[in-house]
Amino acid sequence: AQSVTQLDSQVPVFEEAPVELRCNYSSSVSVYLFWYVQYPNQGLQLLLKYLSGSTLVKGINGFEAEFNKSQTSFHLRKPSVHISDTAEYFCAVPYASGTYKYIFGTGTRLKVLA
Amino acid sequence: DVKVTQSSRYLVKRTGEKVFLECVQDMDHENMFWYRQDPGLGLRLIYFSYDVKMKEKGDIPEGYSVSREKKERFSLILESASTNQTSMYLCASSPTIGEKLFFGSGTQLSVL
């Protein structure tokens, strides 16, 4: 079964600076990979997903992520953050190929400072 | 616009009470999920359902049960609430394998 690791529980960054949120998963087989964002007092919404094809995936709000099979990583990046990007970010993968179930990382809280 | 609606945003219950958390989706999705979210632990799957009347246990089903009598509605039941079930509960749905999850806005349950 899969596992997901988000090493950074909190990431403070100044407005307009770049940011990278790290996600590593356990399996070396091809998988689906997702990043979700949770704004304060809201549920989660999809930022982007990787299913197949190009390893660089672009999502909403200027975010992108790169699937790296050899390093089993799917790091999330944004070249210039805004105050409104302050939120918690979760990486997620299916438990196993063909399953309905997803496993989530423990989350990274991004705090954008003025 | 797709929607997953959880009946209560905040709920306060007493230890030993039976608690019902309701979730309704309007997208005709086959799959529905209940997660609990705790600081530092991320989201943990309690139960999920891939069809009406069909359910499977997730990672932490103890102390919970579910009901799915209609496709659009998935209920989470705490048979006898305990203080360690104080948490944020998130309902989600998805149309099929590999598709994204659509989340409700959550129910913050406090058990006193």
Side-chain angles (χ1 to χ4, degrees), chain B residues 2 10 13 19 26 29 37 53-54 61 64 68 86 102 104 106 109:
Chain B
V2 297
Y10 298 97
K13 295 293 180 181
V19 181
D26 64 359
H29 285 172
Q37 181 181 12
K53 297 189 186 291
M54 306 301 287
Y64 303 95
R68 194 168 180 200
T86 290
F102 293 83
L109 173 67

Side-chain angles (χ1 to χ4, degrees), chain A residues 34-45:
Chain A
F34 301 81
W35 274 101
Y36 287 86
V37 60
Q38 184 180 33
Y39 298 105
N41 300 313
Q42 294 186 27
L44 280 72
Q45 58 183 276

